[in-house]
C-alpha cells in the first residue's frame, strides 16, 4: 500500500477544540541516523545502531550503502531491547547507481564515501535533487584527488569514479549554502590517506549545530578532530587518518520533528511531553526550548523528558535562526497566529532546501489571509485572522507540518500531499490525530 493510498491528496488538518494534553514519543533523529550509518559503514568492525529512524531519507541512505557492499541487517538489538540495525563494513565497490531521493544528507554525504569504492558510482534522485547545490562537495573532492563526471553542472546526476582510496589533504570550500558540505568531507576523512583539512572561505556558515554533531560523532568512533570549538583555527576543521571503531549507538529522538507537537501546546494553550529529550545534545531542535518559551510557553526538562506548556497566548519574536534554519517553517506557522509581529532572519540558505522555503511559506500563509513578506535573509510576519484553504507542501515535509500547526487554530485548512512527511516522520498524520485524542 502506497503513502498516497493511505492519505488523501488533500488532508483535512485537524482543528483543535480545546487544549492539547498529550505525551508524544518522537522517532529517532534523521541527522544522527544518517551520520551514524556512514560512520558505521566506514568502521573497521561491525557496530549496532539502536532505535534508528525508519523514514524515506534513512532508508535511502541504508540502501545506497548496501548497494556499495555494506551489510545492514535490520532486526532487534543483541539484548532484545527494541529495533536495531547491525552494520557490517565491507570493501566498497561499484558499478552501482544510488537513488538519493531528495535527501541532502544522502546526496552530499555519500560522494566522499564513493571515492573509496572500487568502481564507478552513479548518483541520481528526484527532479528537485537536480536543483540543489552540490558544487561545494564536487569541487572539494576533485581538489582532494577524486574523478567526478557531472558534465559541468555542479549538481546531480553525476558519477564518482571510485579508485578504492583518496589522497585527501587541505581544501578550501564555500559552504555558506549548506553546512552539509563540511560534514560530508569530515565524515569520510579518517579513511582518506592524508585525512583532510577543510577551510570554509565564504559568508556566514549556517546550521553550525549540525557540524558540531558531525564532530562529536566522529570523536565517539575514535577519530581525531581539530575544530574551532575546541581552540582550533576559525572556520577550519582537521581530521587525521585513522581506523574507526564499531560502536553500539542509541539514536536520540529527532528534536526538530518534535517541533509541531510542542507548537500544538503553544497554539492551544495545552501541554505536551516528549519522552527521552536529551539533557545535552547537538541537535538544532533543542533551541525550541528557548524559542517557544519566548513566544509564550514554558518548559520543564526532567528524567521523563521535556514537558512544554502553552500559556494561551502567542507572542511574536525577533530571532536569528541561522544556526537552526530547519525550524523556520514551524516557527513561521506559530508566528502567523501570534499577537504581535515577528521577524525571522539569518535563513537565506532556506531558498536552496527541499523547496524555496521562504517563498513557499510566504505564498501559502498569505493565501490563507496572512501578511508575510520575504526579506533578504528571512521573513517578516504580521499576524492577521486566517481562513481555511489549501496549504501546498511542494514535496517538503516541513511545509506539511507547518500547515498542520496552522490548522489547529484555523478551521478548514487542507494539507496538499501530507504523505511527504514520510521523508523524516512516517507516521505524522496518525501521531497528529492521536495527540488530539482523535
Amino acid at each position: 500500500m502506497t503513502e498516497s493510498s493511505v492519505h488523501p491528496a488533500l488532508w483535512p488538518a485537524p482543528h483543535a477544540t480545546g487544549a492539547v494534553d498529550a505525551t508524544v514519543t518522537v522517532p529517532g533523529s534523521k541527522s544522527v541516523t544518517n551520520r551514524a550509518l556512514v560512520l558505521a559503514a566506514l568502521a573497521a568492525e561491525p557496530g549496532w545502531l539502536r532505535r534508528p529512524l525508519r523514514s524515506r531519507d534513512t532508508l535511502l541512505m541504508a540502501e545506497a550503502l548496501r548497494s556499495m557492499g555494506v551489510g545492514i541487517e535490520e532486526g532487534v538489538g543483541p539484548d532484545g531491547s527494541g529495533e536495531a540495525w547491525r552494520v557490517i563494513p565491507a570493501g566498497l565497490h561499484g558499478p552501482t547507481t544510488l537513488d538519493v531521493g531528495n535527501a541532502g544528507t544522502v546526496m552530499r554525504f555519500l560522494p566522499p564515501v564513493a571515492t573509496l569504492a572500487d568502481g564507478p558510482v552513479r548518483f541520481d534522485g528526484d527532479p528537485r535533487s537536480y536543483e540543489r547545490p552540490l558544487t561545494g562537495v564536487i569541487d572539494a573532492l576533485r581538489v582532494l584527488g577524486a574523478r567526478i563526471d557531472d558534465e559541468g553542472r555542479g549538481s546531480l546526476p553525476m558519477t564518482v569514479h571510485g579508485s578504492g582510496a583518496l589522497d585527501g589533504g587541505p581544501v578550501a570550500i564555500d559552504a555558506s549554502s549548506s553546512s552539509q558540505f563540511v560534514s560530508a568531507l569530515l565524515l569520510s576523512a579518517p579513511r582518506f590517506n592524508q585525512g583532510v583539512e577543510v577551510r570554509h572561505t565564504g559568508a556566514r556558515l549556517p546550521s553550525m549545530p549540525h557540524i558540531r554533531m558531525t564532530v562529536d560523532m566522529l570523536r565517539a568512533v575514535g577519530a581525531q578532530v581539530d575544530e574551532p570549538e575546541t581552540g582550533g583555527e576559525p572556520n577550519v576543521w582537521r581530521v587525521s587518518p585513522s581506523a574507526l571503531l564499531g560502536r553500539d549507538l542509541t539514536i536520540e529522538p529527532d528534536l526538530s520533528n518534535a517541533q509541531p507537537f510542542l507548537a500544538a501546546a503553544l497554539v492551544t494553550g495545552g501541554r505536551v511531553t516528549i519522552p527521552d529529550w536529551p539533557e545535552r545534545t547537538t541537535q538544532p531542535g533543542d533551541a525550541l526550548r528557548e524559542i517557544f518559551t519566548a513566544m509564550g510557553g514554558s518548559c520543564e526538562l526532567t528524567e521523563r523528558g521535556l514537558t512544554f506548556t502553552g500559556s494561551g497566548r502567542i507572542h511574536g519574536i525577533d530571532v536569528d535562526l541561522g544556526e537552526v534554519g530547519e525550524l523556520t517553517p514551524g516557527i513561521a506557522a506559530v508566528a502567523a497566529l501570534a499577537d504581535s509581529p515577528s521577524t525571522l532572519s539569518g535563513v537565506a540558505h532556506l531558498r536552496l532546501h527541499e523547496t524555496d522555503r521562504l517563498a513557499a511559506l510566504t505564498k501559502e500563509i498569505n493565501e490563507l489571509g496572512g501578511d508575510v513578506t520575504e526579506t533578504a535573509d528571512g521573513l517578516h510576519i504580521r499576524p492577521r485572522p486566517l481562513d481555511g484553504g489549501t496549504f501546498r507542501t511542494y514535496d517538503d515535509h516541513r511545509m506539511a507540518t507547518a500547515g498542520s500547526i496552522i490548522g489547529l487554530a484555523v478551521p478548514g485548512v487542507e494539507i496538499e500531499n501530507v504523505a511527504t512527511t514520510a521523508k523524516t516522520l512516517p507516521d505524522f498524520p496518525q501521531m497528529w490525530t492521536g495527540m488530539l485524542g482523535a
Side-chain angles (χ1 to χ4, degrees):
M1 185 177 291
T2 65
E3 288 287 340
S4 59
S5 66
V6 174
H7 305 300
L10 291 177
W11 182 66
H15 177 62
T17 57
V20 168
D21 189 355
T23 295
V24 180
T25 300
V26 177
S29 163
K30 177 201 72 174
S31 298
V32 175
T33 299
N34 275 356
R35 283 166 172 79
L37 281 169
V38 170
L39 292 172
L42 297 177
E45 56 194 350
W48 287 95
L49 305 186
R50 298 175 187 264
R51 295 176 60 181
L53 173 67
R54 286 185 57 87
S55 72
R56 187 185 185 214
D57 280 17
T58 60
L59 294 175
L60 284 168
M61 178 68 85
E63 188 54 38
L65 290 168
R66 286 190 185 105
S67 72
M68 289 190 283
V70 178
I72 302 177
E73 301 172 352
E74 301 181 33
V76 297
D79 57 1
S81 59
E83 183 173 10
W85 294 351
R86 183 159 174 78
V87 182
I88 304 168
L92 301 173
H93 62 77
T96 188
T97 295
L98 310 185
D99 176 10
V100 308
N102 189 19
T105 52
V106 183
M107 71 179 73
R108 291 165 182 156
F109 291 178
L110 288 187
V113 175
T115 67
L116 305 171
D118 184 10
V121 179
R122 178 175 169 79
F123 287 76
D124 209 339
D126 296 353
R128 171 63 179 171
S129 72
Y130 293 9
E131 303 171 18
R132 300 185 68 181
L134 273 178
T135 305
V137 174
I138 294 170
D139 290 351
L141 289 175
R142 285 176 174 149
V143 169
L144 298 175
R147 184 161 71 92
I148 299 175
D149 177 16
D150 68 337
E151 298 182 356
R153 286 183 298 267
S155 62
L156 297 181
M158 69 179 187
T159 299
V160 177
H161 296 276
S163 60
L166 191 71
D167 289 340
V171 64
I173 63 170
D174 180 353
S176 56
S177 62
S178 177
S179 68
Q180 289 176 352
F181 295 168
V182 174
S183 287
L185 298 170
L186 299 184
L187 287 168
S188 293
R191 290 283 303 272
F192 299 165
N193 294 337
Q194 302 173 44
V196 80
E197 176 188 281
V198 179
R199 183 179 300 271
H200 167 61
T201 59
R204 176 185 178 181
L205 191 60
S207 304
M208 281 296 296
H210 278 132
I211 296 180
R212 288 193 284 272
M213 177 186 295
T214 298
V215 169
D216 281 2
M217 293 183 68
L218 276 162
R219 288 174 172 157
V221 295
Q224 299 176 38
V225 186
D226 177 36
E227 50 138 0
E229 294 286 318
T230 53
E233 189 177 349
N235 288 327
V236 177
W237 293 262
R238 296 181 181 90
V239 179
S240 303
S242 67
L244 297 179
L245 306 172
R247 291 296 198 195
D248 187 332
L249 175 68
T250 299
I251 307 297
E252 295 176 355
D254 193 315
L255 307 188
S256 295
N257 276 342
Q259 181 182 32
F261 304 101
L262 299 180
L266 190 54
V267 168
T268 68
R271 178 177 60 190
V272 169
T273 297
I274 308 293
D276 302 318
W277 193 286
E279 185 175 340
R280 177 189 174 275
T281 180
T282 52
Q283 288 192 61
D286 195 45
L288 290 167
R289 291 194 286 162
E290 179 179 350
I291 294 169
F292 278 172
T293 296
M295 296 185 79
S298 61
C299 64
E300 181 183 15
L301 184 60
T302 66
E303 290 183 358
R304 184 176 173 223
L306 180 74
T307 297
F308 189 85
T309 305
S311 64
R313 295 190 62 186
I314 306 171
H315 308 309
I317 192 170
D318 187 340
V319 61
D320 185 330
L321 299 175
E323 293 212 342
V324 294
E326 66 194 52
L327 304 179
T328 302
I331 293 170
V334 173
L337 305 170
D339 58 13
S340 58
S342 295
T343 299
L344 315 182
S345 60
V347 287
H349 60 286
L350 294 190
R351 295 188 171 98
L352 301 171
H353 276 221
E354 280 81 346
T355 188
D356 179 341
R357 284 178 170 165
L358 300 184
L361 286 164
T362 300
K363 183 175 188 295
E364 297 310 311
I365 295 174
N366 286 352
E367 289 199 354
L368 298 181
D371 185 1
V372 181
T373 54
E374 284 191 60
T375 65
D377 69 340
L379 300 172
H380 187 60
I381 302 167
R382 290 166 290 274
R384 293 174 55 178
L386 301 180
D387 302 312
T390 300
F391 195 94
R392 292 169 181 81
T393 63
Y394 309 89
D395 295 323
D396 184 339
H397 57 129
R398 299 207 192 279
M399 287 295 295
T401 53
S404 300
I405 292 167
I406 292 173
L408 288 174
V410 180
V413 174
E414 294 187 311
I415 310 299
E416 175 263 336
N417 187 21
V418 74
T420 194
T421 53
K423 178 179 170 67
T424 60
L425 196 56
D427 297 325
F428 171 75
Q430 297 90 333
M431 294 172 68
W432 196 246
T433 54
M435 172 193 68
L436 294 169

